Amino acid sequence: MVFVMKHDRDNGLVCRLCGAASQRVVMQLHGRDGHAYRAVRCPACAIVYSDPLPSFYAENAAGSEVDAAPDGYASLYDEDYYASNWGEEGKEYTDSAKQDLRFIEADRQREAIAAITGVKRGRMLDVGCGDGSYLEGFRRAGWEVYGVEVSPVAANWARENFRLPVLEGEFESLRLPPGFFDLIRMKHCIEHLPNPHRAVRRVFELLRPGGIAVIDTDNSNGLRSRTEIAIRGCLGPFAIKMVKALMKKELAGRYGRLTPPIHLYTFNPASMRRMAGNCGFELIDMHSVAHGDPVWFPLVSRFRGHPFEVAFRMLDWIGWKCADRGEAFVSIWRRPK
């Protein structure tokens, strides 16, 4: 099967974020679940998203809300996911060295959040808390912590190894007290969710007035992603074959950081600002980061891996340092008092 770049207007598609019609289909993708998807870019708000959503997400009659079948989540975020998606040089997500690094990451981010917002203690909710090591880092610093996780594998790990209060299930559907939290963290989580706008509205409801939301996610304006997409546009299917042969990486299911059925959306700062602003938030800070950033993205080394991968990570670093166009970005928001 050949996967080609497309730039077709599709008047049958409506943007899930802003509601604009006449969406632009930019690439045909073959997901790791074996299903066909399309990468779609909205010309109005610039979000990039997967069409369709994975089959286990059910849209309601109005088409405005989506819910997930629990077994669908379980099939995505199982033991193989954590074994295969997080390792460098054979190290898995639960490797003790990586876990120690996540404690360091939690400390650095906690200090950065405190410096930007002035919030140093309180009740914290981590949405998509994974194995709980990030939450444990905050708890050791005196925070009252809670977690939400859709993966039974990760939720059980957090409860069994750290004795953390982690609720298992879809974040938007869980019963949580409104106005209860001082800080809600969505750490590389929102791109996985079927309805990000709904999730951010829920974050707003759960925060106390003056509470802080920290959302970091992939950046569709990242210099590395835009360069990779441009190269694929020039080389076509040959680029997919070349990368698979040289780097053992499969590009047929990727458009930048969009990788359905895992990553369903890719934001840029403008689309995130539009969505969070529509939910009532006030922006405190927003900046891009590169893979290997010591505070926000320390789990990936710029200098390990295939030489081509190292070269692209250096391109990411250049984009971050020179143009604020790293592969991810951090946004910090306040619920108005």
Side-chain angles (χ1 to χ4, degrees):
M1 184 178 293
V2 177
F3 303 91
V4 297
M5 297 284 288
K6 290 177 68 67
H7 296 282
D8 298 338
R9 292 284 184 177
D10 190 328
N11 292 316
L13 283 175
V14 175
C15 178
R16 300 193 196 103
L17 179 62
C18 72
S22 193
Q23 301 292 283
R24 185 180 294 274
V25 178
V26 292
M27 186 175 287
Q28 306 288 342
L29 302 176
H30 185 72
R32 66 173 68 187
D33 58 356
H35 295 294
Y37 296 92
R38 300 186 293 182
V40 181
R41 180 182 292 274
C42 177
C45 70
I47 194 172
V48 179
Y49 60 92
S50 165
D51 179 74
L53 289 172
S55 58
F56 54 81
Y57 291 115
E59 235 176 273
N60 70 7
S64 61
E65 304 287 359
V66 286
D67 295 293
D71 57 345
Y73 275 137
S75 68
L76 283 182
Y77 305 110
D78 56 9
E79 290 184 4
D80 289 340
Y81 173 80
Y82 289 99
S84 62
N85 283 262
W86 295 87
E88 288 186 354
E89 300 178 353
K91 293 181 179 178
E92 299 179 4
Y93 182 75
T94 54
D95 176 81
S96 59
K98 280 190 171 290
Q99 192 171 81
D100 291 342
L101 188 56
R102 286 198 297 278
F103 290 143
I104 296 173
E105 177 186 12
D107 288 340
R108 290 174 178 173
Q109 291 185 14
R110 175 177 48 78
E111 291 168 0
I113 292 167
I116 293 169
T117 68
V119 178
K120 300 179 179 180
R121 293 286 190 281
R123 299 188 184 107
M124 174 198 178
L125 177 67
D126 189 3
V127 182
C129 66
D131 76 330
S133 54
Y134 189 86
L135 269 181
E136 175 64 8
F138 271 70
R139 183 165 69 176
R140 292 178 181 181
W143 283 76
E144 180 182 340
V145 299
Y146 303 85
V148 171
E149 176 55 53
V150 299
S151 167
V153 172
N156 287 334
W157 178 276
R159 289 190 291 255
E160 292 174 3
N161 288 274
F162 297 124
R163 301 294 187 263
L164 289 167
V166 174
L167 294 176
E168 184 181 321
E170 185 187 23
F171 165 59
E172 302 91 313
S173 303
L174 293 172
R175 291 187 177 182
L176 293 163
F180 184 73
F181 297 100
D182 300 282
L183 172 67
I184 296 181
R185 188 79 168 90
M186 301 186 79
K187 183 174 177 290
H188 288 276
C189 165
I190 199 167
E191 64 268 22
H192 296 252
L193 302 180
N195 194 324
H197 191 270
R198 179 186 176 194
V200 173
R201 286 202 314 266
R202 183 66 173 144
V203 169
F204 187 89
E205 294 167 359
L206 296 176
L207 283 170
R208 64 166 176 80
I212 302 298
V214 181
I215 304 172
D216 50 0
T217 186
D218 300 321
N219 183 11
S220 65
N221 282 350
L223 179 61
R224 170 180 174 164
S225 285
R226 302 310 299 166
T227 302
E228 289 176 345
I229 290 167
I231 292 172
R232 288 177 70 178
C234 294
L235 299 181
F238 176 72
I240 296 174
K241 295 178 181 178
M242 180 179 69
V243 169
K244 190 170 185 178
L246 294 177
M247 300 176 64
K248 312 302 181 186
K249 291 181 66 173
E250 183 57 74
L251 291 186
R254 301 179 64 94
Y255 179 80
R257 309 300 298 176
L258 190 78
T259 56
I262 302 295
H263 288 193
L264 305 177
Y265 295 85
T266 312
F267 290 84
N268 63 22
S271 55
M272 179 63 72
R273 189 179 294 110
R274 178 170 185 161
M275 180 180 68
N278 286 344
C279 292
F281 279 106
E282 295 175 346
L283 179 64
I284 298 176
D285 182 74
M286 184 180 291
H287 61 276
S288 79
V289 297
H291 290 176
D293 174 81
V295 175
W296 298 101
F297 224 129
L299 293 181
V300 178
S301 170
R302 285 197 299 272
F303 306 108
R304 284 206 303 266
H306 192 281
F308 284 171
E309 182 64 30
V310 172
F312 275 110
R313 287 179 182 170
M314 292 306 299
L315 181 66
D316 177 25
W317 185 84
I318 291 169
W320 169 43
K321 285 293 187 181
C322 297
D324 195 27
R325 292 182 62 187
E327 278 295 279
F329 67 96
V330 180
S331 58
I332 302 178
W333 307 87
R334 177 180 285 116
R335 175 176 173 171
K337 293 183 178 180

